[in-house]
Amino acid sequence: MRIEFPHAAREDFHWTQAHLRVGSAPDNDLVLAGSQAAPHHLSIRQDRRGWILQVLPPADRVHVNARPVYEGALLRPGDVVSVGDCRMLLCADEDPSRRTPLIPPGPDGCTVALRAVSGPLSGRVLAVRDGVLLGPSGAWPLELPQGDTASLRIGWDDGKLMLDTVQASARHPLRVNGVAVSRVALQPGDQVGLAMHRFVLDAPGMEPEPAITTAELRPGHLPEEDAGPASEVWWLIATAAVIALGIALALLIRL
């Protein structure tokens, strides 16, 4: 994990362990000013689900992408965690531009959508189809602070889903998983961020199909052979026939 401090004169913080403690006390892994955080304000743990944030009592809350969090939250690269007036941008360790691009198995790509998780478009799902342009000249204008403008496009190029900067902003760089980019091939689960706007890419068809293994039956092997020897099976059939005959006789006698 790499943590940037936007608009602050503080060096990036690098962390490789599975547990990160944040607060103003000197025994924390990441120490913040006493005016910003409680002595032990929050912790971030990594497990199979990703990064898990936990607010530590008696700290009241933190903000994730400008939304208050009182107990815990699931984080992803590209999120901004705010404690007081300290903003921490969580960045992926891997540069997205250095990844091997994913190419869908079909010739026409696959179904792709941008799910807005933060910003004025939050809650909307934007279908990519042949391509989508976000910005002043696109179908989805992006409001930026202080009247700034920027545009980006997502579309297919030679079988790859590409993110391109159409108009860059000097104050708000385009980011994927927290890393500044200008042109990059996207993958499912990537978070595209521009200022307060954040979009998660949903594209399950781009992921490779899981390998399916089946147990092979031996030649001439039948499933019923697993029930036991043939003599045991016939003995069970004969017993069932005798019981059925006895029940039928009992009914005839009562009649």
Side-chain angles (χ1 to χ4, degrees), residues 33-115:
S35 59
Q36 296 172 329
H40 299 94
H41 204 105
L42 64 91
S43 69
I44 300 176
R45 294 181 180 272
Q46 187 174 20
D47 63 11
R48 59 180 179 81
R49 296 171 294 174
W51 297 339
I52 309 298
L53 179 146
Q54 181 182 4
V55 181
L56 303 177
D60 52 358
R61 68 178 182 275
V62 302
H63 287 80
V64 177
N65 299 331
R67 294 184 177 182
V69 174
Y70 294 92
E71 295 183 358
L74 178 63
L75 304 175
R76 68 172 66 243
D79 285 341
V80 173
V81 178
S82 300
V83 180
D85 60 356
C86 178
R87 300 173 68 245
M88 298 176 286
L89 173 63
L90 308 184
C91 303
D93 294 322
E94 181 184 21
D95 187 339
S97 62
R98 298 181 180 178
R99 302 179 303 193
T100 301
L102 290 181
I103 299 179
D108 300 324
C110 62
T111 301
V112 178
L114 287 176
R115 178 164 43 88

Side-chain angles (χ1 to χ4, degrees), residues 139-174:
W140 302 98
L142 297 177
E143 301 177 11
L144 298 183
Q146 301 175 349
D148 198 3
T149 59
S151 298
L152 60 96
R153 183 185 184 278
I154 297 177
W156 297 98
D157 183 2
D158 195 21
K160 300 183 291 291
L161 186 64
M162 300 300 300
L163 167 66
D164 288 288
T165 301
V166 178
Q167 179 184 1
S169 167
R171 292 190 293 267
H172 306 286
L174 178 64

